[in-house]
Amino acid sequence: MGILIATKNEGKIKKYSTMLNVLGIEYKTLKDFEDNIEVEENGNTPKENSIIKAKAYYDIFKMPILADDSGLILDELPESKQPGVFVRRHNGKVLSDEEMISLYSKEIEKVGGETTGGFVIAITIIDNNGKIYTNEVKHEKLFILLSFNKI
């Protein structure tokens, strides 16, 4: 039966399929199904969103599920400015890499040019019996703005 990697994101598929291959676990991805199912990620944290996705896909496909979600926390920013799970969405727009870097660089500049923070990654697995296993970790980073003057 294997497990469903609940994503169409090529990077995530590569990451999880590599691990599952090493363990000898068969898997499928959402790309293996013709259904164009979109799960509304309306949680406030990566952990909430990974659980929401895992439960929704488990209900649909009736097989073990691996789902994840991530977010960005910048410790010096006020709560109202936190990217969180909306790191790529701002004012109703999906941001490109360049737009995202520009936006958060400006926010970091407002708090003195550096902040600690990190990427929060949550993984949820639902087994054959519907039991949920989930965990969330924060990968600590230091974000520093650098400026270079032309000579």
Side-chain angles (χ1 to χ4, degrees):
M1 175 185 276
I3 191 167
L4 174 65
I5 303 171
T7 188
K8 292 180 183 174
N9 178 306
E10 287 295 334
K12 290 180 180 184
I13 290 170
K14 183 176 181 183
K15 174 175 60 174
Y16 292 119
S17 65
T18 300
M19 288 186 270
L20 294 171
N21 284 331
V22 167
L23 296 170
I25 298 172
E26 293 180 26
Y27 64 89
K28 292 194 177 295
T29 72
L30 292 177
K31 290 183 172 192
D32 293 316
F33 298 92
E34 290 185 23
D35 297 336
N36 200 11
I37 300 162
E38 293 293 327
V39 173
E40 183 180 356
E41 299 175 35
N42 54 8
N44 292 315
T45 67
K47 189 174 186 177
E48 288 175 7
N49 279 340
S50 73
I51 293 169
I52 289 166
K53 287 190 278 191
K55 285 180 176 181
Y57 289 118
Y58 182 82
D59 289 344
I60 294 165
F61 294 105
K62 308 293 188 222
M63 66 184 295
I65 303 293
L66 184 157
D68 80 349
D69 197 55
S70 59
L72 175 62
I73 303 298
L74 299 170
D75 295 333
E76 295 298 320
L77 297 188
E79 188 65 34
S80 63
K81 298 286 185 176
Q82 285 296 331
V85 296
F86 304 106
V87 67
R88 284 211 177 265
R89 293 169 283 187
H90 184 71
N91 290 335
K93 180 183 178 197
V94 176
L95 303 176
S96 68
D97 288 349
E98 293 78 19
E99 291 168 325
M100 184 176 62
I101 291 167
S102 175
L103 173 68
Y104 299 120
S105 292
K106 288 175 187 170
E107 293 301 328
I108 292 170
E109 188 174 16
K110 291 177 188 175
V111 296
E114 75 176 49
T115 182
T116 55
F119 294 93
V120 178
I121 300 169
I123 297 174
T124 299
I125 295 174
I126 301 182
D127 69 15
N128 285 328
N129 301 313
K131 185 171 180 184
I132 298 172
Y133 304 86
T134 189
N135 197 11
E136 183 177 75
V137 294
K138 182 178 178 185
H139 296 277
E140 297 286 339
K141 304 285 182 196
L142 176 62
F143 298 87
I144 300 173
L145 293 180
L146 301 175
S147 62
F148 298 95
N149 296 323
K150 292 184 180 180
I151 297 177

